[in-house]
Structure formats: structure tokens, C-alpha cells
Amino acid sequence: MFLGSLFLFLMSFNFPPSLEPGLPGPDFWPRVILVCLMGLSLLLFIVSLKGKGTKEIDWNIKHLMPVFLLGLLYLLLINYLNYLIATFFFIILLLVFLGVRNWKTSVLFNIIYLIIVYFIFVRILGVPLI
Amino acid sequence: MEGTMVGAFLHSLVSVFHFQNFIMIILGVSVGIIMGALPGIGASTALAIFLPLTYAMPVGASVLLLCSIYAGAEYGGSISAVAIRTPGTGGAAATVIDGYPLAQKGFPGKALGASLYSSVVAGLISAVILAFFTPPLAALGLRFGPPEMFGMAVFGVAIVASLASQVPLKGFISALLGFLIATAGIDQFVGFARYTFNQPALLDGIPVIPAMIGLFALAEAFRMIENKVSSNEKNFDFRKVSFAMLTISEFKGLWRTVLRSSLIGTIIGIIPGVGASVASFIAYDDARRTSKHPEEFGKGSLEGIAAPEAANNAVVGGALIPTLALGIPGSASTAILMGTLIMNDVVPGPFFFEKNPDLSFLIFTGYFVCNLVLLVVGYFSIKACLRALDVPKEILATFIIVVSFLGAYAHGNNYSDMVIMFIFGILGWVFGKINIPVVPCIIAMLLGEMVESNFLSSVLISHGDYLVFFKRPLSAILLLLAAASFVYSVVKDRQLAARIKKIR
């Protein structure tokens, strides 16, 4: 909660004002929102200070960190490799990280998935995946 | 007028049974049931996962597919509720109370039968209400000028924000974030690139569809991975139970409950922000109070299954009414539907019926037919769906993650959409962690551009008078109501906090 409001706060100060004279310019609407947002995050901050009973948020990131990193890696790799190849490795690594050690399962899953994707998206929908 | 209505209806009937459309309904219902049955995948996640399939389809088929998935998922949620005591969707939470005991007694067939029949009847009723109430509401909307549209949208978002979570303040913060996100990109009046941080990909604004896939599908997969240890409920032994279906005479005893619950569900569906789960609990409560056998509730009463299941399927039709007639989606699922329509250059709202008479009738008839299909598919797929519950969470989560990336890419064949989807996936997960509801944010994102342009044009047509909104009665009332919902919900929230403090 603290984190969220603090983040919003910093973010709203960071925005450069847009330049446009005349009637309500392009900067008007975002400003209205930002003022409200700042007000609300302040209010939330006060409420949470008063409430005291804020529970520590259990981020439990240990489980998910590898998944986030894998996702990033996948996004990087997909630029260099073909979609099908990158996805093949992504699925296998993801399954290994999630505790599926059975090679047959992951390869089977992979092959079925990729074949379906190939036919539906590449052949029928014409998405240039390769 | 009457003649053209009947003509349009007949025309839509023909096109519903057009090969492609009908296949989409069958596919959507089947997929929806299975997705709904899997715990952790609600209607909105199912819609987000299957959204990419619609990219290359004509708009009618895409909407039918998504509506069918939505309806199928609302029924499917009851399967896992009955079998493993874990509601597959939020709307099935109340079904657990009576569905699980009845299945434990050895009658999962009867429990699911009651759920299926009630779902179908409720779906049909809400389809009829949808067809009759949407056009007049849209006609009313046609008289709205920019100030009224602005007021309406702000009101809708405010209601969603105040009802979407336990802490309304966070709902409003979420909505404001959504509006803020919607301001990114080239602005509509002078073409100034706002908040693009020099990223050419953001010039068009943040694409809503990849954002929705991230928030609803990817974030859900993250949560699934995180909690994979938590659900250990065993699927039951298939050999030991009876799959005897509900008989017609048993269902006759449920008519009254189903009718009442369908009406409750439809009405609640119309109100933005109050979704299937609230509707099903209200219907359950209502059924218990009006039942002749209230003592059976909680021990496997058929009425106790029929009521919430009728309500959660009736919500679908109800929720479509404001989405189509006013362009104000009240829930995550309708937001995704609306996103799909917009992607196809069809703008839901008051002009929707004038501009797309064929499509609107296709939706009404298609939604009616999809409930009939639900009856048939649901009837024959009970066993298969029960087996689907044995799919390991790891595989399911992997599947969702991979499909999310694919869906984001296929949206515009853009690498940047994948990155945006990934960011929103993490954002959705973080939102969940700090208890900020996602739905107000996504609805505000969808409506953001419309709200801003109506705001600006209102000020422009009144020659710079910022008070124009309060000089037109309807927009004034709507805005005051929006403000009231904010004040009321936040004050109520603080009272609640004070009470909790006292107890401690």
C-alpha cells in the first residue's frame, strides 16, 4: 500500500507539462486525473497510517522470479530466434521450473501446442510467426 | 418499424445458423465450459485467452464466440464447485454450498443437472430481456449530448470503482490509473504526443487488447503458479458415483426458484460493477428465504444449486445491456467483449443499433441460441469436464503464459504488444498483491478516450464554460451520483475500518 501510493506520487511529479495554449489543451485532462490521483493516494496513505493494522504484504516472489526472468528472456530471444523454436525452449524451461520433470510430458505438450498454433495461426489466420 | 424488426430478427436467425457462426457458438460453449470448470480460470480469463482467435474473424463470429465462451464459463464454474469444492469462477462460489454436499452423497449428476438446466433457462430469460431492453435504452442514449455521455461514463466507472473491491478507495485509484493510462499517445485535438517517453510504439496509445490479456490471463497464470500448493482437493472417484441426470419432474419443482433467480441475476448484471458472484449469493439467499424446505439448504438442496447457477448465467445477458446500449461495460468480461467490438471498428453505445442493426440482432439471437447449445453440449460433456479437472496446474499455467504471449503478438504482429502484455501481466499481479482491483482500471482504460473527448467537446461547445456539466440536468445528476458513490463508499469504508479497530 505504501509502496503503491509512493510510486504514484513520484510518478505524478515526474510528468512534464504539455505545451498548448487556448482552451483546455491536451494537458488539461491528464492534469485533472493526476490531481485526483494524488489526492486519493494521499488519502489512502493517511487512512493506512491511521489504520495501523496494515498487514505486511507477502510478496512471495521466490516462486515467481524465475518465471518473470524467463518471460524476459523469451521476449529477448524471440527477436533472434524463430517463434516456434523460442517457444519450444520457453515451454520446456518453464515446465522444468514449475516442477514438471517428466520429459515426455513437456515434449508432448510442446509438440501438440506448436502444431495447433502453427495450423491455426500461421495457416488459417496468416500471422507471420516464422 | 415492426416489420423491419421482424425482418431483422429473421435475418439474424439465418445468419446465426450460418456455418461459421454456428461452429463458433459450439466451439465457444465447449471451450467456455472447460475453461470455466478449471479453477483459477474465470470467464474473463477464458475470454482473454481465446481473444486472439477472433483477430481474423468477421465481427459477428467473434462476438458470438466470445458470448458463447462467457455463457459456457459461467455454467462450467459449477462443475469444479460440485466436484472439488473449488468454484471454477467467482459466480460459482455460492454453488459450492449445496453442490458439493450433493455430489458427496453420490449424486454429482443431479447436482450438475440442476446447475445446467437452471443455467440454460436463466440464460434464455436474460437473452429475451436483453433483446427487449437494449434498444429502448439505446434510444434514450441517443438523446445524450457530450456532457451527458461524459456524465454517464464517469458515473459508470465510479460505480464499478466503488463496488469492485473491499476498499473502495483503491477501486477509485485503479479507475484513475486506467484513465491515466488511456491518456498516453497522441492526443485527439492537437496531436501532441503525451507520455510516450519517445517510444514510437506508444504513439497510438497503449493498446487495450494486449493490456487486457496481460491483466486477465497472464496475471492469473502468475497467481496460479504462486498458489500451486494450496489446492489439494481431490477429484472424486468416478466409479463410485451415480451420473444419473436430473429428471424433468425434479426440475419442475425448481421453476419458481429459477425464475426468481434469473430476474435477480439479470437486474444485478445490468448494474455496473456488481458481478456474477454477488448476484449468485443474493439469489441463493433469496431462494433460501422463500423456499418451502429451507432446512435442506447447505446439505445438498437442489434449489440451493439452481438459484446461484441461474443467477450467474442471467448476469451475462444483463451485463450486455449497458455494454451495448450505452457503451459502458460493467465487468471484466463485458470489457473484453467491448474491446473486441472496438477492435473491429464497431463502437458500442447509443449509435450501435442504428449503425449495426444486423450485428445487434445477431448478438441477441446468437446469445439465445448459444444457451440452447449450452444445454446440449453441457449435457454430454459432464464426464469429460470432470476429467479435465485433473490437468496439473503447472501445465495449465504454462499454457496460459504461452498463449498470452502469442495472443499479444498476433493482435497486431507487433513485438511491442508482447512487451506491453508482459508489463501488464506483472502489473496485474502486483495489483492483486496490494489489493487494488483490476476491473475499474481496465474499464477506465476502455472509456478513457471517450470520456476525454466528450469532456473536451462539452467545454468547446459551451465556449469554454467548465460548468456546462452542471447546467444540463441529466449530466449534473449523473456526476452528482458519481460523486455521491465516491463519498458514500469511502465514508462507509472508514466506518468499517473504525469498527475493525474497535474489535481489535
Side-chain angles (χ1 to χ4, degrees), chain B residues 157 160-162 164 170-172 174-176 178 437-445:
Chain B
V157 172
V160 173
S162 59
K170 290 183 176 178
F172 282 96
S174 166
L176 284 171
V438 180
V439 177
C441 175
I442 201 76
I443 291 176
M445 255 178 91

Side-chain angles (χ1 to χ4, degrees), chain B residues 6 32 47 53 63-64 67 83 85 88 102 109 120 127 170 200 206 215 224 234 274 304 309 332 364 389 444-445 495:
Chain B
V6 174
L47 289 174
L53 275 183
V63 176
L64 287 181
C67 282
R85 212 177 172 178
L102 190 60
V120 169
K170 290 183 176 178
I206 292 182
L215 287 177
M224 214 181 261
K234 271 233 174 78
V274 205
E309 281 304 310
F364 300 151
L389 297 181
M445 255 178 91
Q495 282 172 349

Side-chain angles (χ1 to χ4, degrees), chain B residues 257-445:
Chain B
T257 315
V258 171
L259 277 181
R260 288 181 70 100
S261 306
S262 305
L263 288 180
I264 293 175
T266 313
I267 292 167
I268 290 180
I270 297 174
I271 307 169
V274 205
S277 42
V278 177
S280 57
F281 274 105
I282 293 180
Y284 182 82
D285 190 51
D286 175 77
R288 186 173 51 194
R289 277 188 293 109
T290 56
S291 169
K292 286 178 193 130
H293 310 283
E295 72 283 354
E296 282 176 20
F297 277 71
K299 295 171 194 155
S301 156
L302 284 176
E303 284 174 90
I305 300 168
E309 281 304 310
N312 69 31
N313 270 65
V315 162
V316 178
L320 285 173
I321 295 176
T323 311
L324 296 177
L326 301 173
I328 313 272
S331 66
S333 307
T334 44
I336 295 176
L337 270 169
M338 183 164 153
T340 315
L341 285 172
I342 293 175
M343 191 170 71
N344 285 290
D345 291 324
V346 178
V347 185
F351 292 100
F352 176 63
F353 295 93
E354 284 199 345
K355 288 189 182 158
N356 314 283
D358 289 350
L359 181 61
S360 49
F361 273 92
L362 181 66
I363 295 177
F364 300 151
T365 332
Y367 180 58
F368 192 87
V369 172
C370 106
N371 277 291
L372 294 177
V373 172
L374 174 64
L375 180 65
V376 180
V377 175
Y379 189 87
F380 290 108
S381 66
I382 286 181
K383 269 195 183 178
C385 289
L386 288 172
R387 295 219 184 266
L389 297 181
D390 289 333
V391 173
K393 280 256 169 102
E394 293 82 8
I395 303 237
L396 204 58
T398 309
F399 172 73
I400 299 177
I401 293 175
V402 180
V403 171
S404 305
F405 277 112
L406 176 68
Y409 180 76
H411 169 246
N413 300 340
N414 258 338
Y415 175 70
S416 64
D417 285 349
M418 283 169 94
V419 179
I420 287 170
M421 194 284 297
F422 188 58
I423 293 171
F424 271 87
I426 296 180
L427 197 68
W429 176 76
V430 172
F431 268 30
K433 277 282 169 194
I434 54 179
N435 273 324
I436 292 186
V438 180
V439 177
C441 175
I442 201 76
I443 291 176
M445 255 178 91

Side-chain angles (χ1 to χ4, degrees), chain B residues 102-263:
Chain B
L102 190 60
Q104 289 301 302
K105 283 181 192 165
F107 299 109
K110 288 206 187 298
L112 289 175
S115 160
L116 178 63
Y117 296 158
S118 323
S119 296
V120 169
V121 172
L124 295 177
I125 293 174
S126 79
V128 172
I129 298 179
L130 170 72
F132 280 94
F133 273 73
T134 320
L137 193 60
L140 190 72
L142 275 178
R143 297 206 213 130
F144 288 5
E148 282 82 14
M149 280 316 287
F150 174 77
M152 192 67 224
V154 171
F155 172 66
V157 172
I159 294 286
V160 173
S162 59
L163 295 172
S165 87
Q166 306 276 322
V167 189
L169 199 50
K170 290 183 176 178
F172 282 96
I173 288 182
S174 166
L176 284 171
L177 276 175
F179 278 136
L180 189 65
I181 293 169
T183 61
I186 301 236
D187 96 286
Q188 308 157 50
F189 279 71
V190 285
F192 182 84
R194 297 184 297 200
Y195 306 136
T196 49
F197 306 104
N198 292 326
Q199 293 288 318
L202 291 181
L203 282 180
D204 271 340
I206 292 182
V208 182
I209 300 277
M212 286 202 276
I213 296 178
L215 287 177
F216 294 121
L218 191 62
E220 209 54 63
F222 288 157
R223 272 192 281 278
M224 214 181 261
I225 292 169
E226 206 186 345
N227 308 327
K228 66 176 170 188
V229 256
S230 64
S231 129
N232 277 331
E233 291 283 352
K234 271 233 174 78
N235 204 340
F236 47 66
D237 192 340
F238 284 86
R239 282 156 299 176
K240 284 185 191 156
V241 291
S242 132
F243 281 96
M245 275 299 272
L246 196 72
T247 58
I248 304 285
S249 60
E250 278 173 310
F251 186 64
K252 270 187 189 153
L254 300 174
W255 260 112
R256 215 174 43 94
T257 315
V258 171
L259 277 181
R260 288 181 70 100
S261 306
S262 305
L263 288 180

